[in-house]
Amino acid sequence: MGNSRAYPVLRTTDAAEAFRQARRLCALLGNVEDKVWLFTELPTVRDVRQIAAMAPGLPFDHLGTRTDPATGAYVRFDLDVTAVDDAALAEHLPLSFSEEVDRDRVENGILAALGEGMTSIEWHGRWPDDSDPDVDWPSKYDGIQVVFHGEEAQLGDWTERHTVFVHVTKWGDLPLAQELAAHIGSEVLGEAQLGW
């Protein structure tokens, strides 16, 4: 049990550059999973529509906790975003999306779908140097994360900058993180953060 350690290896105000470098690092992963974890904050109707097109049939939720004023019970967002008009959808904003999505759909459409909210993509796989001959599945710790409009692996405050993280073992592996950062012409940009 535990969490990976996430080392920031790139910060930029250029979303396309952050995505390009994250994809370069992904090419180093072995056993990359077919799905990526996508989290995004959706403050506008346009943002919701873009993500709904990329992830058809998957659920959305309110960005913050909402309760029924009469009962105090937790209120989930359960509308089909493709079946309501823009005005009705706007009444429920901001929304969030946090689900596994087909890797190809995200990789081919995320830059066009990015909105003003924070967005995180996680690619899980296995670093080649992390191979254990007795294990034939991706490590739960290894991978790449890009956070658009954020500088924290655990999604902190909104910023203008976009950050790429490499995730390694729960004990951390600074030499591996440094090697991966060098692959994209960068360096480790701070202490390890709590990862996934």
Side-chain angles (χ1 to χ4, degrees):
M1 299 304 294
N3 293 82
S4 66
R5 291 296 174 256
Y7 290 92
V9 297
L10 178 72
R11 285 198 177 98
T12 178
T13 57
D14 183 341
E17 176 65 6
F19 186 68
R20 186 176 76 79
Q21 296 297 356
R23 298 270 296 124
R24 284 185 64 203
L25 288 166
C26 282
L28 301 177
L29 284 168
N31 301 325
V32 181
E33 295 178 5
D34 292 336
K35 291 186 180 276
V36 297
W37 192 265
L38 175 63
F39 167 83
T40 187
E41 298 173 343
L42 305 161
T44 71
V45 169
R46 178 228 174 250
D47 295 343
V48 173
R49 300 276 186 231
Q50 292 289 98
I51 296 300
M54 186 182 306
L58 293 176
F60 290 74
D61 204 353
H62 297 289
L63 183 56
T65 302
R66 295 191 188 178
T67 56
D68 183 301
T71 66
Y74 177 70
V75 177
R76 293 199 52 88
F77 179 81
D78 59 2
L79 296 177
D80 176 352
V81 297
T82 62
V84 296
D85 65 26
D86 289 355
L89 186 55
E91 293 177 18
H92 296 278
L93 297 175
L95 295 177
S96 68
F97 178 88
S98 186
E99 293 288 333
E100 283 191 324
V101 179
D102 290 337
R103 181 177 164 199
D104 290 342
R105 291 179 82 80
V106 172
E107 290 176 352
N108 292 327
I110 194 61
L111 288 177
L114 283 178
E116 290 302 312
M118 190 180 307
T119 296
S120 173
I121 305 169
E122 300 174 3
W123 291 266
H124 296 251
R126 169 163 284 230
W127 298 119
D129 291 343
D130 191 26
S131 58
D132 178 338
D134 296 328
V135 177
D136 191 28
W137 60 82
S139 166
K140 70 178 187 174
Y141 301 113
D142 293 353
I144 299 294
Q145 178 184 18
V146 60
V147 180
F148 298 101
H149 295 299
E151 297 182 19
E152 303 294 325
Q154 291 288 326
L155 306 175
D157 295 328
W158 187 97
T159 72
E160 290 284 339
R161 297 195 298 179
H162 317 293
T163 306
V164 176
F165 294 91
V166 294
H167 287 253
V168 297
T169 73
K170 64 182 178 180
W171 300 281
D173 187 342
L174 182 58
L176 175 58
Q178 290 168 328
E179 181 182 324
L180 294 166
H183 180 76
I184 60 169
S186 189
E187 60 189 23
V188 173
L189 302 175
E191 297 295 318
Q193 299 179 23
L194 186 65
W196 49 62

